[in-house]
Amino acid sequence: STIVVRARGAVTAAGLVERAASTTTSRFDLERAELGGTAEVDHGFGVITLEGVRSAAPASAMGIDGNSLVARVRHAAVGGRWRGAAALAIEGAIGVVADPWISTHDVDRERMLGRPLVEDAGVIAASDLGLAARIALGDALALAVMIGNGEGARDVERNRGKSTSVVLTARRAVAEVGELALHLYGRDGSFGPGAARSHRLGGAATWHHGRGAAGVELVRAWGVDAQTDATGLAVSAWADVPLPARLGLAARGDRLIVDGPTTSVTTWRTAAAAWYALAAGVRVELAVEVERASGADAPIPGAAGATDATRGLLRATGSFEGTP
């Protein structure tokens, strides 16, 4: 049997100037650093992805060697694939498996304007310790199911329950129109030693064409982090339009509402960018990002931080994939 290895890597780095609370600051950030790959032999495969993160949590003063960047496991799973008649394909894996909803973003949208809102705000973890399965009929229809601990990759199981996520995807390519995709999402889950509820319901639609791409997403959350009484609503829309001479424009708008028992926090974020493609998968962009919040004086524990800020960014993004 022949082993086929495919490597993947992604890096996003930025320099930015930020105006917040009547103060202007500047800094350089490493927004994304991922390295991994897949090894396949016959019907079996293994996948591993490492990502770079800051070692100190947002509320912590110290991490490893100050607040160093460290590598952690994003995906690490082993499984198998089978193909049947009529373009039927079945796949299963166990380990640190990718969340099926975050996986739709990896396929359907550029990450040049940052991570998906639901991942960035901690509404949905990128992966979990568990079992994942996917059944597909060609590219037209797919059903993905994940049963996991519900703690993400950051912790062990801390309650007796398991979390189940289901994503149904339908795609259709129409001549002169492009490819249209519809995703439906549901999750029944629990989180933490107190088995706080962690339920999700959402949907997304995307459009891809040689002339551009766009998408919209809505996710409703019952339970935000360990706050079982908090509810959230995440709405996001994006567009990416290539222009002649390797130039292009991109825009994104996010709105996150987190309601607690006694207070509510609403955050809006709008970003626009002009980009230049250095090569396939490699872009440099100039972007402006505006973030505004209401209820910032009464934050909800576990909710994403709310702030008023305006940022100018010089960002470079590279995604690489191939066989060594």
Side-chain angles (χ1 to χ4, degrees):
S1 299
T2 301
I3 300 177
V4 179
V5 178
R6 193 163 189 86
R8 296 188 303 273
V11 177
T12 301
L16 62 95
V17 177
E18 180 180 76
R19 178 72 175 176
S22 301
T23 301
T24 300
T25 59
S26 62
R27 64 182 182 272
F28 293 97
D29 277 346
L30 182 65
E31 299 181 356
R32 183 188 185 197
E34 296 178 14
L35 179 64
T38 302
E40 300 183 22
V41 54
D42 294 332
H43 297 294
F45 71 88
V47 59
I48 185 167
T49 304
L50 301 178
E51 64 177 342
V53 297
R54 286 291 177 186
S55 55
S60 300
M62 295 291 290
I64 298 174
D65 190 22
N67 188 13
S68 296
L69 285 162
V70 297
R72 72 175 180 188
V73 174
R74 183 178 176 93
H75 308 129
V78 63
R81 297 187 178 103
W82 299 268
R83 294 190 179 275
L88 176 66
I90 301 174
E91 177 180 312
I94 188 169
V96 184
V97 293
D99 180 90
W101 189 249
I102 299 300
S103 293
T104 65
H105 293 80
D106 291 337
V107 172
D108 278 343
R109 65 180 292 272
E110 296 287 349
R111 288 206 174 200
M112 59 180 296
L113 288 178
R115 295 181 296 176
L117 172 62
V118 288
E119 181 184 355
D120 190 44
V123 176
I124 300 174
S127 57
D128 198 4
L129 280 156
L131 174 69
R134 186 175 185 270
I135 302 175
L137 285 173
D139 296 329
L141 192 65
L143 176 67
V145 180
M146 182 184 73
I147 301 174
N149 289 339
E151 311 292 337
R154 299 177 61 185
D155 215 326
V156 297
E157 176 65 286
R158 294 184 290 173
N159 58 66
R160 295 182 179 181
K162 292 293 175 286
S163 297
T164 302
S165 299
V166 178
V167 174
L168 178 64
T169 296
R171 297 182 187 274
R172 185 176 181 183
V174 181
E176 301 300 325
V177 175
E179 182 188 79
L180 303 174
L182 177 65
H183 309 281
L184 300 177
Y185 167 57
R187 168 176 167 160
D188 179 79
S190 58
F191 179 84
R197 64 178 180 172
S198 181
H199 309 320
R200 307 289 185 261
L201 190 65
T206 60
W207 166 74
H208 285 265
H209 190 275
R211 300 173 183 172
V216 62
E217 169 193 17
L218 185 149
V219 173
R220 181 70 171 170
W222 291 267
V224 178
D225 199 19
Q227 305 302 306
T228 186
D229 294 331
T231 61
L233 179 65
V235 182
S236 185
W238 60 273
D240 185 45
V241 181
L243 300 174
R246 296 189 176 187
L247 298 173
L249 300 173
R252 173 179 169 183
D254 296 332
R255 184 180 185 186
L256 178 66
I257 305 172
V258 180
D259 291 314
T262 60
T263 188
S264 176
V265 177
T266 301
T267 304
W268 298 265
R269 183 171 58 189
T270 303
W275 54 263
Y276 176 76
L278 294 172
V282 183
R283 293 180 174 182
V284 177
E285 70 176 57
L286 288 173
V288 176
E289 186 176 281
V290 178
E291 186 172 336
R292 297 291 182 265
S294 62
D297 57 334
I300 298 174
T307 186
D308 288 350
T310 301
R311 306 177 186 96
L313 300 97
L314 171 63
R315 178 186 282 129
T317 299
S319 296
F320 311 93
E321 185 171 355
T323 301

